[in-house]
Amino acid sequence: MSENLKETDQELSEVQKNTEEEIKNELETSSEAETEALDIDESLDIPEDIPTADDPSSRAKRYDFDGAGFTLDEFASLLSKYDYNFKPGDIVKGTVFALESKGAMIDIGAKTAAFMPMQEVSINRVEGLSDVLQPTEQREFFIMSEENEDGQLALSIRRIEYQRAWERVRQLQKEDATIYSEVFATNRGGALVRVEGLRGFIPGSHISTRKAKEELVADFLPLKFLEVDEERNRLVLSHRRALVERKMNRLEVGEVVVGAVRGIKPYGAFIDIGGVSGLLHISEISHEHIETPHSVLNVNDQMKVMIIDLDAERGRISLSTKALEPEPGDMLTDPQKVFDNAEEMAAKYKQMLLEQAEEGEDPIAVMTV
């Protein structure tokens, strides 16, 4: 029996030995397979700094802006283009979508529709909004103020027209253009007109017409610019300058013209020659000394005078009867003799001027001596 037990122990020992060898072989085989697997994984070049599931950084997505092609500031600037930030003084495009009794509602892309008061619709007077605007019309608007408590902006077309009107007027002045404008009112100082929608003033001294000032309302007058000052809101014009320029195109120095005395001052007389006024200075009435023009001339006297200077820039025509005297002092003793011989004396005077010019002297300077 002891022999049987001994044999049994030997068999168990062999089985255990065989089992251990099988397990060892399996472990070796598994180790080789893992090594092959690792060799394959290494060929994938997986980064070694991959965070584990326990690493908090593995749960936070990080962005590389340095490699994005722009900075954070540039990104913010790009976004700002789509952030409607309206400021007073800006000019924006908008669409009219409603006309109301007191103004118009305008869509400019803001959160709330903007409003344009009736008085801001145009630089000119209008009877109604529909005279200037139509629903769905698109145009530019000037932002007048910040948003109110309701988030609404106030707009204006008048401000844009005002700015452009001054630009246009400055250009017309630069070109020394002659414009035509209707007189809409008069006052003690002169007449009022509108130029490009701006209010202009014509001083009484620059109105050359036989009409009374009050009768000029609704008349269209040719005008020249005297002063264009946007900062002081001053637009001053001259009717006289425009007429003088027109007349100057048909007149020349040395020419004899017929005129009528329209006013007498201590320094001379104003002579109307074809609708424009020329000055006959006291020193140009006669070769003889004169105390006052009243001693020689009377208002409404018809007379012949010679043009001795044309100043288009200042709108002035200078006249003379002294140059027409056959003998010094004839204007004091026999004015009719002067007028009867005016053309002959003017021709002689012109010849003298030509001779002076040929000798290199200024004919205008000679004429005014």
Side-chain angles (χ1 to χ4, degrees), residues 163-173 175 196:
Q163 293 175 354
R164 292 175 179 171
W166 279 108
E167 291 175 2
R168 175 61 177 156
V169 165
R170 282 193 294 269
Q171 182 62 32
L172 290 171
Q173 182 194 35
E175 297 170 358
E196 299 289 328

Side-chain angles (χ1 to χ4, degrees), residues 3-13:
E3 291 180 357
N4 289 337
L5 290 173
K6 186 176 180 181
E7 291 177 356
T8 301
D9 291 337
Q10 290 178 349
E11 290 176 357
L12 289 174
S13 176

Side-chain angles (χ1 to χ4, degrees), residues 336-365:
Q336 191 59 47
K337 178 183 176 182
V338 175
F339 303 149
D340 291 343
N341 294 276
E343 284 75 15
E344 181 183 350
M345 293 301 298
K348 291 181 179 180
Y349 203 82
K350 285 184 180 180
Q351 183 60 36
M352 181 189 70
L353 294 177
L354 289 174
E355 293 173 357
Q356 296 286 349
E358 289 176 357
E359 294 176 4
E361 296 186 32
D362 183 358
I364 299 299

Side-chain angles (χ1 to χ4, degrees), residues 94-99 105-106 133-139 141:
T95 303
V96 180
F97 71 86
L99 302 181
M105 303 300 294
I106 313 296
L133 297 175
Q134 296 297 325
T136 72
E137 179 181 353
Q138 294 184 340
R139 61 182 303 164
F141 298 90

Side-chain angles (χ1 to χ4, degrees), residues 240-257:
R240 176 163 58 86
R241 271 198 61 195
L243 291 181
V244 168
E245 182 182 84
R246 181 191 295 175
K247 191 71 175 178
M248 283 181 179
N249 293 332
R250 302 191 296 269
L251 298 175
E252 61 181 27
V253 173
E255 181 179 0
V256 173
V257 294

Side-chain angles (χ1 to χ4, degrees), residues 55-82:
D55 187 347
S57 65
S58 66
R59 296 187 293 273
K61 191 173 182 180
R62 291 180 295 177
Y63 297 93
D64 179 16
F65 284 101
D66 292 335
F70 51 83
T71 66
L72 285 172
D73 290 340
E74 291 172 338
F75 184 67
S77 175
L78 182 65
L79 291 178
S80 67
K81 293 183 179 179
Y82 300 94

Side-chain angles (χ1 to χ4, degrees), residues 132-191:
V132 181
L133 297 175
Q134 296 297 325
T136 72
E137 179 181 353
Q138 294 184 340
R139 61 182 303 164
E140 292 182 331
F141 298 90
F142 181 93
I143 298 178
M144 293 194 299
S145 62
E146 300 279 359
E147 295 180 352
N148 61 16
E149 61 274 11
D150 298 323
Q152 191 175 64
L153 292 164
L155 305 180
S156 173
I157 293 176
R158 185 179 66 87
R159 304 290 180 90
I160 296 177
E161 292 180 341
Y162 183 82
Q163 293 175 354
R164 292 175 179 171
W166 279 108
E167 291 175 2
R168 175 61 177 156
V169 165
R170 282 193 294 269
Q171 182 62 32
L172 290 171
Q173 182 194 35
K174 183 178 180 180
E175 297 170 358
D176 194 28
T178 297
I179 63 170
Y180 286 80
S181 187
E182 181 182 10
V183 177
F184 69 85
T186 61
N187 56 30
R188 291 179 57 187

